Amino acid sequence: MEMVGRRERIERRRLIEQRAENQATPASGEAQQAAGGENEPITGGQSQADAQGTEGHQTTSESSQGQSESESQQAGAGTEQGHDAMEGQNQEATQNQGQEITDQGESIQPTDQGESTQPPQQPAVENQGQGQSEATSQPTGATATTSDAPMDVDQAVQVEKDQKELEEKFVLPRLSEQLMLEGLWEILGECLTELAKTPDHHAVLVLQPAVEAFFIVHAGEKDVGKVKESISQRREDQLSHLNADITAPLSPSPAASTQDTATVAMSRMLSRDSSVASVLSMAASTSNLHPDTQKFLKFADTHRTVLNQILRQSTTPLADGPFSVLVDHTRVLDFDVKRRYFRQELDRLDEGMRREDLAVHIRRDQVFEESFRELHRRTADEWKHRFYIVFEGEEGQDAGGLLREWYLIISREIFNPNYALWTTSPGDRVTYTINPSSHYNANHLSYFKFVGRIIAKAIFDNKLLECYFTRSFYKHILGVSVKYTDMESEDYAFYQGLVFLLEHDVVDLGYELAFSTEIQEFGVTEARDLKPNGSNITVTEENKKEYVKLVCQMRMTGAIRKQLNAFLEGFYDIIPKKLISIFNEQELELLLSGLPTIDIDDLKVNTEYHKYQTTSLQIQWFWRALRSFDQADRARFIQFVTGTSKVPLQGFAHLEGMNGTQKFQIHRDDRSTDRLPCAHTCFNQLDLPAYETYDKLRTMLLLAINECSEGFGLA
């Protein structure tokens, strides 16, 4: 097989070289024949076959054991009489070791009258040899010249086309197709399933080499000559998602550039009536991917727990090891594994760059203003230096403590209402979103760029901030399309109106609706058209989806587009969009604000039940399942039911809802037990079906908080 493959490669290379040589700069003139030390031109009446049939016209060079071959070409289909013949022709001897290769060449000989003829093609055999010789000679009484005419465009295109055809012809089958180890992979999967049940996390290392082999075989090969895409992107590319249309309701959402196909398929189907069957079927819907890619994605998802245990204990960076393919499919990675890869890539970006201390002199009572004055003119590279905080009038030396204190103070000052940059979400009165009326502050765009750099710098320095934003704002940072369901935390009453419009006929509204919306700015309400002449276009049953899309786009993106551009420009100066987008919006909040400490006993004491009792079997199973969750899953659960991972300082008795203090609630869902739990974040409410077993309840709850936080059951 190795010899056959070698012959195919040599044959392909020879044909490509010959085609390129035949299409090269043509030259017409007097042909040359190298025969030892004797040169004899072939005249027009003599064919090439006759010339080569004469023993004196072809001899073997004694100085080299290979055979020299002369090739000549014609500079056009024909020449007219009266034109001066160009003399000379480049000659080249080619040789392939270890093979006998038949080569076809054309030799064009001019006649004495200046008329060119084209003899039939004649095969020439290259003998095996240990050296390479070139025969260069000129016919007697002639001066050789070289034509420098450029290659015809059509000829160049034909050469490129032939090269592609040859590459496709000689392409080798994929490694997985050659090995055919399906039975081995099935056994490996069974072993990993058993290892996932063992309490010893180190046991999985026994099969780590086999798992690595599976990924190497099925990961696929990178395209030859394809330049690896850099993490850094142009500013226009990083902000391009702000100009994209908002996800249309009740229709497939456009795929984001930093999302893998499986994640996109999941986000498309998460509607209010989703069942677990549809979740699982859509999660596995990757039909547009290569079979090998589908195979390893299914394998990674099935054995996600074991895979992440291996990655946690691996000393090789994710991007460099056998699991590097997962960089493009981060959905199967746990948050701590993503965070570790994120840190490795940040270090890689700064490799070879010298980081120095950058002193920041500020007064404690003017932290935001003086920090802005000190830093806003600094370059992005200077922002990556180590900040050395100096509080004026204080003798403290910054060994890390003052920097943490500075981050804490400035993260609170960012939301100072005097700057009019942010406003609290009416859905939970805890999270923040951009104030559409921030333009009343003349420096608001400069401030937003500064704040974007501050938040990115905190992540860069691995410092935590007391910053909690709305779901849609996190999506803007990640470059993920917002959905109309995200309006729930922005304006719950308006969101309910949109749901009614989508689920009922327009005439049921009882009033006429136009393509315009009302915007409030400092107590003043004004109408804005959603499209040209929108105030005169009536919303009908046929165009109501377009209306919902445009009105959500106006409220969540269009009304704050300039502020978003400024903020993201500053953020991406420090952390590239391609790198931060490996997280989802819940993980980004945990990356920025840290994992909260969830007191299960405090939450249980401050929980209200509807159609359930504290002694109900499902309630007992629920608290048992919640206690079995690790810290990250507990944080995701709080995010799922409240919309944020922020825990009230006074405990869960002071949990906020849209109408003020609202304790956590568990409602019984009497519909099918094949449904997933639903969350209503404005009311801190969980709708829990009456599952038959503890294992099913725990599985469904984990699936909901890990896979279905995107637009699922949000009102």
Side-chain angles (χ1 to χ4, degrees), residues 489-502:
S489 61
E490 305 279 342
D491 189 336
Y492 180 75
F494 186 78
Y495 169 75
Q496 286 291 85
L498 294 179
V499 172
F500 183 88
L501 174 63
L502 292 171

Side-chain angles (χ1 to χ4, degrees), residues 235-252:
R235 178 176 299 174
E236 295 81 2
D237 295 335
Q238 295 190 117
L239 300 178
S240 60
H241 64 278
L242 295 182
N243 298 319
D245 286 341
I246 191 173
T247 301
L250 304 181
S251 61

